[in-house]
Amino acid sequence: MNFMASKQPENSLLGPEADSQRTLYPYVTGTSVVALKYKDGILMAADMGGSYGSTLRYKSVERMKPIGKHSLLGASGEISDFQEILRYLDELILYDNMWDDGNSLGPKEVHNYLTRVMYNRRNKFNPLWNSLVLGGVKNGQKYLGTVSMIGVNFEDNHVATGFGNHLARPILREEWHQNLSFEDGVRLLEKCMRVLLYRDRSAVNKLQIAKITEEGVTISQPYSLKTYWDFSAFANPAQGAVGSW
Amino acid sequence: MSKSLIEMPPKGGFSFDLCKRNEMLAKQGVNPPSFRKTGTTIVGLIFQDGVILGADTRATEGPIVCDKNCEKIHYMAPNIYCCGAGTAADTEAVTDMVSSQLQLHRYHTGRESRVVTALTLLKRHLFNYQGYVSAALVLGGVDVTGPHLHTIYPHGSTDTLPFATMGSGSLAAMAVFESKYREGLARDEGIELVTEAICSGIFNDLGSGSNVDICVITKGGKEYLRNHLQPNPRTYTSSKGYSFPKKTEVLLTKITPLKEKVEIIEGGDAMEE
């Protein structure tokens, strides 16, 4: 009789906890968020789709939420992790309010807090699978930043997550300028969201645009973009070449 | 006893004989050398009178730019041009090969080549090699049936489109096209839109860069605008230019032109020996 030498479990490096405690892959995901600074504050756009793998499962997911008095948070990636982040931020704002000292956390502070949370979770190999966009205005200062799931954070005049980086950022780099009016900002965001709608498979035609200024946060009602499908070459692609497609 | 095994001559297509050996070698850490890729932005669009093709001019070898000004718009026929992305050798070879086949076909039929002919020759070849010939092409031209624009993927599938982009910078260029394309563009508007799309690729994609090449094909003919736009000039250039110090003295200059030797065969047939 020979005894098999006991095999070390593959996750022995991470201690006795079972693998099922760590996030390995996302399940219900939201697609890109696009945001830009304009004259009076920040404009942010996100569609309302929650995909379950390749199925479009949920079509009324609000992926942008106001945080405290001065900030707006938009998230792409795992929806359940976004809800968890909202709970952490709820606690943070609650403690801030309990101080009752006339001061309140601004967007820079919330952004820093989120960066620390995301980075520390990633170091424990248990990330919150989100790409976050944090925008806000405090004391006339506009702020727009982003944090990824591994803790990469930076602030810029216009940011996008996911596919928005490849499709929306080039447009924003060309056409963004200082002191955009509200109408111009919305038009620019809609341009980006339309391209994403055409070319991102997980996009839905139901989006919200959120605005944050010194006065506060307004999130629009959900609406759809107009699309154009009538190019003659799309209507009849095999016109010159019968038999091909 | 006769041998039951008949020697089969090798048929066309990819030969999978060495795949198992390669897999074994890769496992032992011996990897095949990497290819020179064109990490590219290539675009095409159909305008009022024909087709406009555009391409950037950067060729990369991994993280290094190996050619700052290469030509990615290849000649197929006087009325058909093809932009290539992917492995540079594959795009060059496959377009050269089909270009020669089209020339022979023109001699055989006595007619102008059609874009669908080039399309079919290319897709048959690429499908035969099951995606191992890593060439992603944007094929455009004008023939008797009108202007045509097609994209061809390395595995052999094709699409017919009013506007198309391929390569690593394709998303940046497609963002420009999707927001600004309309039907019935004039020649100058078309060239401007193509330039904008390629510039979007050049400045937003790391695999694309340097200059913009344009090719306009209409029923009348073609116009190849090499380096139509150069948005990345050298920042600091020496005003003196380059001069190499002359260390060797020239003592004597003598030029002897080479004379052609032509033999004239008196009488008889030249073919008779």
Side-chain angles (χ1 to χ4, degrees), chain A residues 42-48 61-68 71-75 82 86 182 207-213 216-223:
Chain A
I42 311 287
L43 278 170
M44 198 184 293
D47 67 23
M48 299 188 75
V61 179
E62 278 199 35
R63 295 192 292 117
M64 295 184 293
K65 294 282 181 188
I67 310 289
S71 321
L72 177 64
L73 176 68
F82 176 50
L86 289 174
F182 175 69
L207 69 143
Q208 289 178 305
I209 295 203
K211 167 178 83 155
I212 180 164
T213 61
V217 176
T218 331
I219 304 185
S220 74
Q221 284 299 314
Y223 69 102

Side-chain angles (χ1 to χ4, degrees), chain B residues 221-237:
Chain B
K222 57 114 189 348
E223 228 187 297
Y224 185 46
L225 305 165
R226 169 77 172 147
N227 287 358
H228 172 73
L229 187 71
Q230 291 178 312
N232 291 304
R234 207 182 195 104
T235 327
Y236 305 106
T237 41

